[in-house]
Amino acid sequence: MAKVLMKGNEAVAEAAIRSGCRLYFAYPITPQSELIEYMSRMLPKVNGTFLQAESEVAAINMVYGAAGAGRRVMTSSSSPGISLKMEGISYIAGANLPAVIVNVQRGGPGLGDIQPAQGDYFQATKGGGHGDYHTIVLAPASVQEFADMASDAFDLADAYRIPVMILSDGMLGQMMEPVEFKEAKTDEEIAKLDNQHKDWCIHPKEEGEAPHHNEINSLEIDPRVLEQHVLDLEKKYKLIESKEIKVEEYNINKDNDMVCVAFGTASRIVRSAVDQLNAEGKNIGLIRPITVWPYPYATIANALHDKVKKVMVFELNLGQMVEDVKLAVNGKVPVGFFGKVGGIVFTPEEIKAKIEENL
Amino acid sequence: MQVIATRPKSLTDLQFTYCPGCLHGVAHRLIAEAIDELEIQDTTTGVAPVGCSVFAYKFFDMDMAEAAHGRAPAVATGIKRARPNMQVFTYQGDGDLAAIGTAEIVHAANRGEHISVFFVNNAIYGMTGGQMAPTTLPEMKTSTSPYGRKTDDVGFPIQVCELLNTLQAPYYIERVSLLSPADILKAKKAVKKALTYNKEGRGFTIVELLSTCPTNWGMTAIDSLKWAKEKMVPYFPIGKLRDRGEE
Ligand SMILES: Cc1ncc(C[n+]2csc(CCOP(=O)(O)OP(=O)(O)O)c2C)c(N)n1
């Protein structure tokens, strides 16, 4: 397929439809509006369901219902709306349901602003809703990757029966880049996907099928049963941690002067700075977590070669990921941080200066 | 031997967990009987609320979902849109539907979502121990209105059917009671009508069932029936508010 120039918001929507998503429920919010608008235009053309919900709370609960019925379903929002979805995401996790949630982050807290930010890292990676649960969190750094993650997210959600969040931001949502899409799934392939969960999902009893009483539920009133349920969830999370970590190692080698860590939009800017410094004869490495849960602790630990005297973390928040980097570094070297908030994005020059300062 | 009464097929064998004198069991039975009579058990699914009837997902013998508090109409919307060939119903209490879930019920009704809502109004929060509900009557004492519900402070009880009747889309809106055997027979007709319209794909249907809560009202079952007839029925008049099938 030829490349097309597209906004991230539209690219992820198109990719979701191509991945077999035929149900989408959401509430408008900047800077993700192109996503909901794209879905409203395109889903009816493929006999899909687009529904503008009365709130993000309603939207995520519609997702809970459709996921409980075993079909590929997605919702999207930006930071304030994602906060409202947290109740539903906890229920989806508790009920072992597959679902995809896109967060096009903006500045917070509260109403904040509508510029790009990464302030929802804690919320996305540490839970966000109540209870012991995890959401797989994918952090794209380009429009192409944003689009590719739609199909990854659905596959992961279906494989593990887990909510998967794509954690992007207003920059990736709004900017246009060339993107190449995968082949769209055929109607037969989609029908197969829609039938893959018949052993547990809500569906009519079909000819020849035994009567079934499937329960979509997160309630276990008996503490011993709930204990087992939560431990079973933990087993699933351990399995995901052992199999699904994705990370990009950029110029990581045993002669690195410094290792930087950044994800998403921030990582692109850091990469420009790293390129400039390396062109000037330095040897700086960059680790870019692609999954921010599960987190690539081992990759960071293994990159601490002899000459690395410091690890620098760059984020568009006040250092939320630093905690994870420190866990990985485990006190071996100091961990420094530079970030911007309020929807202000740092420049490559600022990053370059920060790296030089800390070399 | 001829069997003249038996447990409806659409209920599981589990014993109900309701208090003595509670009418949730009666409401469950009416819905299950109607499903049996319409022969739609294999294509029906329900959404249980948060409230005393939270375990409804175990009691109905079909695929069931348990929703977060108040969100049943949104969950039912998702299921119905994903499985349009199924009959989807919600079962909700008055705290669930008329307080925390007000937005979800109003908008599901306003969209004319093709679901049936069975709304059990007992004028109180039963499950959490008898707190004030949006349907609690003026001057009624509850554990969070110990001096009686003061309307100048917290307003009047919400008449849900009347509220929804201001919307264009709903197909069928009726209020019935479970307060006497004769009323229960009428309630059964309304429940069956809602599910018939559901099966026929007509649109949004809601049946409000006036009920009691002897435990939290602090009354015997008999006294609570009497009290409900005297106090609740005048405020929540029984009757059909809308039936597009008969217009
Ligand atoms: C988000 C949330 N808030 C509060 C509760 C606690 N809670 C459980 S049931 C209930 C009230 C239910 O009352 P009602 O809907 O009238 O049903 P009933 O128990 O009387 O049948 C409340 C407040 C909860 N489970 N979830």
Side-chain angles (χ1 to χ4, degrees), chain A residues 23 25 49-55 57-58 61-62 64-66 69-71 87 91 194-195 198 201-205 212-219 221, chain B residues 12 42-43 45 50 54-55 57-69 71 74-75 77-79 81-86 103-104 107-108 111 113:
Chain A
L23 294 135
F25 306 94
T49 294
F50 165 83
L51 187 64
Q52 180 170 327
E54 60 270 29
S55 69
V57 174
N61 282 283
M62 291 170 185
Y64 175 90
R71 296 194 56 198
E87 176 198 49
Y91 278 72
D194 287 344
N195 284 321
K198 288 258 165 94
C201 79
I202 292 174
H203 65 287
K205 182 174 114 50
H212 47 88
H213 173 88
N214 294 333
E215 293 174 357
I216 304 304
N217 173 46
S218 63
L219 171 68
I221 206 76
Chain B
T12 59
D42 290 345
T43 52
T45 181
V50 174
V54 67
F55 289 122
Y57 70 90
K58 288 183 187 287
F59 296 143
F60 286 96
D61 196 9
M62 54 200 63
D63 291 351
M64 294 288 294
E66 210 306 299
H69 199 18
R71 317 298 178 218
V75 173
T77 297
I79 298 172
R81 300 290 179 128
R83 301 265 175 219
N85 298 331
M86 295 189 84
E104 284 79 7
H107 287 273
R111 287 191 301 270
E113 207 62 57

Side-chain angles (χ1 to χ4, degrees), chain A residues 12-40:
Chain A
V12 72
E14 173 62 29
I17 294 172
R18 285 166 179 264
S19 310
C21 173
R22 289 292 177 275
L23 294 135
Y24 170 88
F25 306 94
Y27 187 84
I29 184 168
T30 311
Q32 68 87 55
S33 291
E34 296 83 0
L35 207 170
I36 183 172
E37 287 165 3
Y38 191 88
M39 286 299 203
S40 75

Side-chain angles (χ1 to χ4, degrees), chain B residues 24 51-52 94 122-131 133 213 215-216:
Chain B
H24 272 309
C52 289
D94 43 272
N122 61 5
I124 206 161
Y125 283 19
M127 188 187 207
T128 38
Q131 294 84 8
C213 182
T215 300
N216 288 300

Side-chain angles (χ1 to χ4, degrees), chain B residues 176-228:
Chain B
V176 297
S177 103
L178 300 173
L179 304 175
S180 73
D183 285 354
I184 290 172
L185 289 176
K186 284 186 207 149
K188 167 72 182 296
K189 278 202 181 125
V191 166
K192 190 168 173 185
K193 185 171 238 177
L195 287 169
T196 304
Y197 287 155
N198 191 326
K199 183 184 176 190
E200 293 168 357
R202 306 267 193 123
F204 180 87
T205 54
I206 179 167
V207 179
E208 175 174 343
L209 304 114
L210 295 186
S211 184
T212 63
C213 182
T215 300
N216 288 300
W217 291 0
M219 295 177 196
T220 64
I222 301 288
D223 286 348
S224 68
L225 291 171
K226 207 167 136 235
W227 189 88

Side-chain angles (χ1 to χ4, degrees), chain B residues 81-95:
Chain B
R81 300 290 179 128
R83 301 265 175 219
N85 298 331
M86 295 189 84
Q87 287 78 48
V88 185
F89 72 89
T90 73
Y91 185 103
Q92 302 179 256
D94 43 272

